Amino acid sequence: MKSWKTLVLVSTMVLGMGLVAAGCSSNTSGSADKAEYVVGTDAAYAPFEWMENDKIVGYDVDVLNAVAEEAGIKLKWENTGWDGIFIALQNGERDIIASAVSITEERKKTFAFTDPYFEATQMLVFKDGENFKTLKDLEGKKIGVQNATTGDTAVSELFGQDNTNIKRFKTTPLALLELKNGGVDCVVADNGVVLEYVKKNGAEGLKTVIDETFEKEQYGFALKKEDTELLKKLNDGLAAIKDSGKLEDIQKQYGF
Ligand code: ARG
């Protein structure tokens, strides 16, 4: 009787330890073996991500979906406002951010990034009557940016974070709308998005300029730092679609 009880006790303990161990190991591997990974994207950023009939579509979507297929993982896309996008990653509401995110030293302090999948640069867009050549020419002008983007950083570093001429918007389309309405003299944003806007809204009346002092930016998918296994899977998948020519195909599809 005694030994039977001991056996139950011991096996319960072993089972318990097993569960704890299982819990721990899934913790240390982050969310590498989730049935579905939640991807956050600010889908107001064509051609990288936008809403089409309630569906999130775009270059980032095609690239990450192709990567996920290689990696054998499932994704669930969620439209997520840029203002809260990194917080949502940090607090676990999102597993991956695929939102034309430029890899920066500042962001790397908090998040992990995959290898780059697209090269971008900041671009000025303004009305035809103006003749800006560089960012410095915007001194004293009203400048529109999407809040907390690399465009915002570039402008804030030159003119000061608290400069009242800098108008920060929740989305890039809102900044561009303000340019159209005359509320700002220039918008500074990623080249791909600006060029798409100009193409869609009539090139006439608008000018675009790249200040050659702008550093090149690389888009990467952002993850939590502890999700090292997921990071490896995504990087392997990305390498595979680079090798197979799939990434290039997608780029061609978007005219990049
Ligand atoms: N590349 C810029 C950055 O990382 C802007 C990205 C904005 N993306 C978006 N989907 N709104 O700051």
Side-chain angles (χ1 to χ4, degrees), residues 63-113:
V63 172
L64 189 59
N65 279 344
V67 168
E69 199 179 315
E70 288 288 341
I73 60 170
K74 275 215 168 71
L75 305 176
K76 182 170 186 251
W77 289 81
E78 293 281 2
N79 195 0
T80 310
W82 180 259
D83 275 342
I85 212 164
F86 291 107
I87 294 165
L89 177 60
Q90 218 161 6
N91 70 20
E93 283 167 29
R94 303 288 182 269
D95 300 304
I96 305 169
I97 303 303
S99 198
V101 181
S102 302
I103 304 169
T104 67
E105 289 309 313
E106 193 56 33
R107 290 173 182 159
K108 269 164 54 181
K109 288 182 194 161
T110 319
F111 302 105
F113 281 93

Side-chain angles (χ1 to χ4, degrees), residues 11 16 39 43 46 48 58 64 71 98 100 102 107 114 124 153 160 163 190 198 202:
S11 52
V39 186
F48 300 101
L64 189 59
S102 302
R107 290 173 182 159
T114 63
L124 277 55
T153 308
N163 193 314
D190 292 11
V198 169

Side-chain angles (χ1 to χ4, degrees), residues 44-45 146 171-178 193 197:
Y45 214 65
Q146 181 176 9
T171 70
T172 295
L174 282 175
L176 292 162
L177 185 67
E178 195 67 2
V193 173
Y197 175 80

